[in-house]
Amino acid sequence: MQLQLSIIIPAYNEEGNIKRINESINKNLKNINYEVIYVNDGSVDKTEIELNKLYKLDKKHVKVITFSRNFGKDAAIYAGLEQSCGKYSAIIDADMQQDPKYLISMYNFLEKNNEYDQVAMTIKRRKNISFFKIIGGTLFYKVINLLSKTEFKQNASDFRMFRQNVKEAILSLKEVNRFSKGITSWIGFNTKYMEYDVHSRYSGKTKFNFKKSFDYAIDGITDYSDIPLKIASFVGIVFSIAGFIFLIYAIIKSIIIGNIYNKFMILISTVLLIGGIQLICIGIIGKYLYKSFIETKKRPIYIVKKKQV
Ligand code: UDP
Ligand code: MG
């Protein structure tokens, strides 16, 4: 019988959740021919042991890929997709915030609606999400949609299911700086959005603290927009013109009045301001340069330590 569904679960330090989510998937997907591909993203807790236990108990459904270190959730998704062979592929977090019962709704929808290529779940109620994630998330979507030509759907998550054409498109983007929110928007396809209620994490802590989320947002913006570079050039032009006018003014004044030394403070603050702006612009350029430096190395997206498939 053809494999209907491949479920990919990226897991980084999720020892307390593995058993729980596996039970829930078994219960919900009784009538479907599926496989679950756990990608252990360099966990340092007992995730590997928990996954080993699952694999030994249920080799028919469970596959495990273990990375040599932490490569990030997006790399884990890539590895899972490469391994998957179901008619549909789904991505779901390991922590039970995304209830596996929705996999059935997505599956049924794709079975009935041939014109759609994927179903993406969007967050309905945000009661179990921290204040900073709500504010940060809203701000992130505002900024990225302002700056990028790719459209980013607010509240969309990685929780989704798609056909093989979408899977192949995702796999064809081989960049190391993987920003899945961008990738799934950039590739296009006909997407049905469905809402879901986010639960609280079953066990453990979020891996995306303030710093990691902030870095992730900056990465996303610089991956999908060149407007920061344009802003840097624009600010440079404005300040060059202002500096030139100021210089002419100072020369004329020094000829007329004969002494410009009392303008010393203005001069110093202007130099500091322009110097600061220059450094910011160099920083922005540096960010893009570093990213292309990483891409030109063409390193693999992830490294596998062990594969149980
Ligand atoms: N994750 C991962 N690698 C990482 C960070 C997270 O595989 O470097 C996995 C994590 O185990 C979980 C999912 O990505 O299954 C979402 O992470 P988390 O729940 O911490 O994020 P949040 O739901 O708080 O945004
Ligand atoms: Mg979570």
Side-chain angles (χ1 to χ4, degrees):
M1 191 167 55
Q2 200 216 342
L3 192 65
Q4 292 291 311
L5 177 61
S6 299
I7 303 158
I8 291 139
I9 310 187
Y12 176 48
N13 295 344
E14 303 284 7
E15 58 182 6
N17 294 315
I18 299 292
K19 194 163 170 264
R20 178 78 188 82
I21 190 153
N22 204 66
E23 277 168 7
S24 175
I25 287 175
N26 284 344
K27 196 179 91 201
N28 280 288
L29 301 185
K30 273 199 294 280
N31 302 323
I32 295 176
N33 188 15
Y34 68 93
E35 62 175 356
V36 192
I37 303 168
Y38 290 93
V39 185
N40 176 7
D41 183 15
S43 302
V44 288
D45 65 352
K46 296 202 179 72
T47 302
E48 194 171 341
I49 299 173
E50 288 298 317
L51 288 175
N52 255 325
K53 277 194 225 161
L54 277 193
Y55 177 70
K56 282 188 185 136
L57 279 175
D58 187 6
K59 288 189 184 156
K60 177 171 178 270
H61 291 117
V62 176
K63 315 260 149 84
V64 183
I65 299 171
T66 307
F67 284 176
S68 62
R69 64 163 170 86
N70 179 252
F71 279 87
K73 182 181 177 185
D74 298 313
I77 292 173
Y78 192 89
L81 285 177
E82 273 191 319
Q83 182 61 46
S84 67
C85 31
K87 180 177 167 200
Y88 305 119
S89 308
I91 296 159
I92 184 169
D93 286 354
D95 57 7
M96 293 296 291
Q97 282 197 280
Q98 303 165 339
D99 197 320
K101 74 176 182 199
Y102 293 108
L103 291 170
I104 291 291
S105 332
M106 289 194 267
Y107 177 85
N108 287 340
F109 182 87
L110 287 177
E111 281 284 278
K112 283 188 204 120
N113 297 276
N114 251 320
E115 70 279 19
Y116 281 94
D117 305 298
Q118 71 169 328
V119 182
M121 302 303 283
T122 60
I123 297 162
K124 183 159 83 187
R125 271 188 289 147
R126 295 189 147 250
K127 66 178 166 66
N128 292 312
I129 301 179
S130 73
F131 182 68
F132 105 77
K133 280 210 170 181
I134 297 176
I135 298 290
T138 314
L139 198 67
F140 168 74
Y141 282 104
K142 287 262 177 309
V143 173
I144 201 156
N145 279 320
L146 197 70
L147 297 185
S148 173
K149 288 193 193 94
T150 308
E151 200 204 327
F152 288 76
K153 170 96 178 150
Q154 175 114 31
N155 290 342
S157 56
D158 293 323
F159 189 22
R160 54 185 67 225
M161 187 183 293
F162 39 79
R163 295 181 199 279
Q164 281 191 348
N165 50 1
V166 177
K167 173 179 119 178
E168 274 151 28
I170 296 175
L171 289 177
S172 72
L173 303 186
K174 300 197 185 301
E175 61 231 50
V176 179
N177 292 302
R178 298 192 75 75
F179 183 68
S180 58
K181 284 188 196 323
I183 288 176
T184 46
S185 309
W186 187 87
I187 55 171
F189 289 103
N190 217 358
T191 305
K192 165 78 183 171
Y193 291 98
M194 278 185 191
E195 288 190 321
Y196 79 104
D197 280 324
V198 184
H199 295 315
S200 299
R201 225 174 199 283
Y202 182 69
S203 157
K205 280 202 305 252
T206 174
K207 311 302 171 314
F208 291 91
N209 55 23
F210 180 74
K211 187 181 175 306
K212 213 170 162 191
S213 303
F214 183 76
D215 288 350
Y216 195 67
I218 295 290
D219 268 338
I221 290 167
T222 47
D223 273 348
Y224 285 86
S225 169
D226 61 353
I227 289 192
L229 287 173
K230 289 182 181 150
I231 293 174
S233 310
F234 178 74
V235 172
I237 291 167
V238 168
F239 274 82
S240 305
I241 294 171
F244 184 71
I245 294 171
F246 187 72
L247 183 70
I248 303 289
Y249 167 80
I251 291 170
I252 294 171
K253 249 205 148 170
S254 74
I255 293 167
I256 299 170
I257 302 172
N259 179 0
I260 56 160
Y261 289 108
N262 53 352
K263 303 281 192 311
F264 213 61
M265 285 310 286
I266 301 177
L267 199 64
I268 288 184
S269 23
T270 314
V271 169
L272 281 179
L273 182 67
I274 295 178
I277 290 169
Q278 276 178 338
L279 286 179
I280 293 170
C281 295
I282 292 174
I284 295 173
I285 296 166
K287 179 85 187 164
Y288 284 93
L289 198 62
Y290 177 71
K291 287 201 157 184
S292 43
F293 167 65
I294 295 289
E295 296 296 343
T296 51
K297 288 198 209 184
K298 294 215 180 317
R299 290 198 174 160
I301 295 166
Y302 60 87
I303 292 172
V304 172
K305 184 174 85 175
K306 193 167 77 182
K307 218 174 188 182
Q308 294 154 301
V309 293

